[in-house]
Amino acid sequence: RVGEKWRTQDVDPRLQTAPIVGVSFRILRSGEVRDPRIIQTSGNYSLDQSTLRAVQEASPLPALPREFTRDVANVEFRFQLRR
């Protein structure tokens, strides 16, 4: 879901590749996303912001499975621009 929400139209089209962007966030038991933040910047503000927006727009994600024993899952995603 997050990948489907990642839009890079606002990123300079001359930028064909960029360093990886790392984003961390929490998923509540209900699937709601909380506290997304950049943990590794690409050095390009527009690209970094596009990754945060993708995580936020994907919320809510599917609920955590019953078998998952905690109420919150801490997640890290890595995004890499390749056009």
Side-chain angles (χ1 to χ4, degrees):
R1 282 178 68 124
V2 175
E4 292 170 358
K5 299 291 184 180
W6 190 29
R7 299 183 317 274
T8 58
Q9 297 91 325
D10 295 338
V11 178
D12 185 341
R14 296 173 294 181
L15 187 64
Q16 296 299 304
T17 63
I20 291 173
V21 181
V23 177
S24 72
F25 57 97
R26 299 181 314 139
I27 303 172
L28 303 183
R29 180 149 297 283
S30 66
E32 182 181 347
V33 171
R34 288 278 177 91
D35 306 322
R37 63 185 178 94
I38 301 291
I39 56 172
Q40 179 180 344
T41 181
S42 68
N44 182 292
Y45 179 80
S46 295
L47 180 58
D48 291 353
Q49 291 304 302
S50 74
T51 63
L52 284 177
R53 185 174 50 245
V55 170
Q56 292 165 336
E57 289 181 3
S59 184
L61 296 169
L64 296 176
R66 270 192 302 265
E67 300 82 22
F68 191 77
T69 58
R70 297 182 323 190
D71 289 331
V72 176
N74 297 310
V75 179
E76 291 185 6
F77 275 14
R78 305 257 185 256
F79 293 77
Q80 185 168 24
L81 178 68
R82 291 186 189 158
R83 293 185 174 162

